[in-house]
Structures are given as C-alpha cells and as structure tokens.
Amino acid sequence: MRIVRFTTGEDPQYGVLTGDVDVHGIPDEGCVVVALNGDPLYVGVHLSSKEYALEDVRLLAPVLPRSKVVGIGKNYAAHAAEMGGEVPPEPLMFLKPNTSVVGPNDPVFYPEQSNEVHYEGELAVVIGRICRDVPREKVADVVHGYTVGNDVTARDLQRGDVQFTRAKGFDSFCPLGPWIETELDVSSLRVQTWLNGDLKQDGSTSDMIFDVPALVAHVTSVMTLLPGDVILTGTPEGVGPMEPGDEVEVFVEGIGSLTNKVVRRD
Ligand code: MG
C-alpha cells in the first residue's frame, strides 16, 4: 500500500495511491488517490468515499516526523571512503530537526552560510509506533513503511563544525516522499541520485554496513521513537554539490522518485 499526504488547496489529507507504479517509480496514468479518514499513524487506514485523480492533487511530505529525523552516517563503505574516513564500528547517529522536512517538488533552499551543498540519496524508514529497545527480530512490528529521502548537507559547514546540527539542519534539508510504501523488502534495493538528469549515485541497500533491523535496534537502544519519526539509513558513494537552479531526483527501487529543485532564498 502507498500512503500519501496531499492537498487540493485545502487542509492536508492522507490518502492511498491506487494503481500501478512502473519500475522507474512513475505512476501509471489513471492513478487515483483515495482519501483517508484521519491520520493512518493514529487511527489506522480507513478509506473515505472521496477520490481524486493524482494529477489533481499536490503531494506533500508523506509524514511529518512527530519528534525527529535520525540520520545515519557512513553506512556504505564506499561512501565512508570518499569522505576520507573509516567505516564506524557502530552506527553513527545524528539528528535532523523535523522542521527540515519538505515534500516532493518543494524547494531546497541554498543557505547563504554555505558554498557547498550536497545531495545524499537515501532509503528512509518511517516508524509506526512508539518504541524503545526494539530487538532486531521485532523491528518489522514498529516500521510503518519506507519512503525516499535526501539528506541534504552543507559539506563545508559539516567539515568546520564538530556537530552536524547546522550542516544538516537547515529548513528544507530533508526532502521526503513521494509516498510511504508499507509492504517492501528493503534488503536489496537500488538507490540512485540524478542531478539535472545525470546519474550521480547508484548503490544498493544490500551494501549497507548496518541493515535496517540493526539501525532500528541501535537507535531505539538510545532513544524512544514516536510514530512518524524517520530514520535516514545512509547514502551510497557519489555525493556531490548542487547549485541553485539544479534539479535533484532520488530514486529508490520499489518506492519511487523524489524530485526537488534547489533555489536561493530571496
Ligand atoms: Mg546521509
């Protein structure tokens, strides 16, 4: 099932996207969004009688993290190497504020404090229930689904600051979407990033050093996760700069494509 959050110009609603999505993540013509009654994370999936053609709605970030986005650094060996570092012995955690989240086709604002803003295409895990100390064999019980994320990073600020907070925490630095896929085996999915149509990252989740069950177990051994919280699982090799005017697309096999444009704030 594909869960969307959308607007038709009124208050945001949740919905289920029906119809097929092709191997490139593009919905077939005729896909319909069936509106849900309430937030599925709180009340479950209850279809309403309202339907909209996909082209008549604007998709929003499919989830608003209740408390946090947990990022994982250097979770692909080739990316750790291109960053000039070793693979960490345990998952390397950082936080992005939930105010960094934006949706598909929303602008990513290039901050004036940086001269080097990078894309990082990633698989994103959406948590479905309050949880703590989740053993890896129970992780499936607490995962609502998966979406596509872009862990936008001001690389120059990341190098200069000890903490990642500023470099990864700007408003609009966490595009998520286009929807949440609730039934997906994420053990071996292609993760690609395209910049202005050029392929820049081409990895597989099978190359993660710590897999999704390991990440959820590790994060929840430290902090409680709330419904709607998100874990970004790390990026494959091939990170690089984006400039104002660029269009960045992150594709995760089995989910879809998340596209955003980089703009300088007026
Ligand atoms: Mg990242």
Side-chain angles (χ1 to χ4, degrees), residues 7 10 15-16 31 52 66 85 112 127 134 148 190 209 214 230 244:
T7 179
E10 314 266 316
V16 171
C31 276
Y52 304 88
R66 296 303 194 275
E112 61 182 21
I127 298 299
V134 182
V148 181
R190 204 149 190 205
I209 295 159
V230 168

Side-chain angles (χ1 to χ4, degrees), residues 72 94 120 122 151 168 234-235:
I72 303 295
F94 59 88
E120 293 188 2
E122 308 198 5
D151 175 21
K168 289 175 176 282
T235 198

Side-chain angles (χ1 to χ4, degrees), residues 72 75 89-93 125 134-140 143 146 186 208-222 231 233:
I72 303 295
N75 198 28
E90 294 182 289
L92 172 65
M93 272 192 278
V125 183
V134 182
R136 64 172 290 136
E137 61 273 15
K138 294 238 170 105
V139 162
V143 172
Y146 300 91
V186 296
M208 285 183 185
I209 295 159
F210 302 103
D211 65 7
V212 166
L215 294 179
V216 175
H218 185 78
V219 171
T220 62
S221 74
V222 176
I231 300 175
T233 57

Side-chain angles (χ1 to χ4, degrees), residues 71-74 79 94 96 119-122 150-153 155 158 168 232-235 239:
I72 303 295
K74 298 182 180 175
H79 172 62
F94 59 88
K96 288 168 90 86
Y119 51 81
E120 293 188 2
E122 308 198 5
N150 190 344
D151 175 21
V152 179
T153 303
R155 196 70 72 200
Q158 185 187 31
K168 289 175 176 282
L232 296 176
T233 57
T235 198
V239 298

